[in-house]
Amino acid sequence: MKPFKAGWIDYGRRCESPHFNARPDGEVSLLVIHNISLPAGKFGTPFIDQLFQGCLEVEADPSFCELKGLQVSAHFLIRRDGELVQYVSCDDRAWHAGVSCYQGRDGCNDFAVGIELEGTDNIAYTDEQYQQLQQLTLALFEAYPMLNVGSIVGHCDIAPGRKTDPGDSFDWPRYKMSLVDKGN
């Protein structure tokens, strides 16, 4: 059985975002790993869902004033406890990469799936997050054959100088070896 139907994974929590549009060519060939916490360094809050749904309570924290009216989304979020949340169908373009370039191609949102990890650049991610990330990545590989271990990057790789996530705390060898060990 295929893990996706119309770009939606068959497990996890669905929390649809209005911040997406059609992929111009329908191509999915890049996987971008991000991190997010709202407020910065705080975990388990409802604010990530609110941000991606366009209803962030900007009065809830002084740091949110700069986010007022921001229209962003990701395809997925993996919370600290391993919970998987999907905001946008992988068949559509989520608005996660911003100004970006990969191998000479601008506008990575056009062809990338964005996965946010609840975290920061300098706080270690959890075992549950790595387990969920591995499971999700393998499901994406199955559903989108242009994806493979070589087509996984950090936000920092496609927006250098502008973005640093997923940061030094992300264990790239652990993550990629978990995929190679599964034959990918």
Side-chain angles (χ1 to χ4, degrees), residues 124-143:
Y125 296 95
T126 68
D127 290 339
E128 293 84 1
Q129 286 179 296
Y130 283 107
Q131 290 165 2
Q132 184 62 256
L133 181 59
Q134 176 199 32
Q135 182 179 349
L136 174 59
T137 302
L138 293 172
L140 288 164
F141 286 178
E142 182 180 339

Side-chain angles (χ1 to χ4, degrees), residues 31 36 61 79 89 97 168:
L31 184 58
I36 188 170
D61 188 89
R79 293 209 171 261
S89 164
D168 292 336

Side-chain angles (χ1 to χ4, degrees), residues 94-110:
W95 303 341
H96 59 94
V99 176
S100 54
C101 182
Y102 178 70
Q103 295 183 342
R105 294 178 69 188
D106 292 332
C108 294
N109 285 338
D110 291 352

Side-chain angles (χ1 to χ4, degrees), residues 27-174:
E27 175 187 335
V28 176
S29 60
L30 186 66
L31 184 58
V32 180
I33 308 298
H34 303 262
N35 72 33
I36 188 170
S37 58
L38 290 176
K42 303 286 186 200
F43 306 132
T45 71
F47 302 122
I48 298 169
D49 286 351
Q50 290 177 13
L51 175 67
F52 290 161
Q53 289 184 303
C55 60
L56 179 64
E57 297 174 25
V58 293
E59 303 80 24
D61 188 89
S63 66
F64 292 172
C65 67
E66 64 192 42
L67 302 176
K68 186 174 184 170
L70 188 65
Q71 295 183 342
V72 295
S73 62
H75 292 93
F76 298 97
L77 167 69
I78 300 175
R79 293 209 171 261
R80 304 293 290 176
D81 63 1
E83 178 192 18
L84 180 66
V85 184
Q86 186 170 4
Y87 299 96
V88 174
S89 164
C90 294
D91 293 346
D92 288 318
R93 175 173 47 191
W95 303 341
H96 59 94
V99 176
S100 54
C101 182
Y102 178 70
Q103 295 183 342
R105 294 178 69 188
D106 292 332
C108 294
N109 285 338
D110 291 352
F111 54 93
V113 167
I115 301 175
E116 296 276 0
L117 299 174
E118 186 177 33
T120 70
D121 286 6
N122 54 14
I123 296 174
Y125 296 95
T126 68
D127 290 339
E128 293 84 1
Q129 286 179 296
Y130 283 107
Q131 290 165 2
Q132 184 62 256
L133 181 59
Q134 176 199 32
Q135 182 179 349
L136 174 59
T137 302
L138 293 172
L140 288 164
F141 286 178
E142 182 180 339
Y144 300 94
M146 293 179 76
L147 292 176
N148 57 57
V149 173
S151 62
I152 303 171
V153 296
H155 199 186
C156 57
D157 299 313
I158 62 169
R162 188 174 70 82
K163 294 296 181 176
T164 58
D165 54 319
D168 292 336
S169 61
F170 187 70
D171 191 341
W172 283 104
R174 174 184 178 173

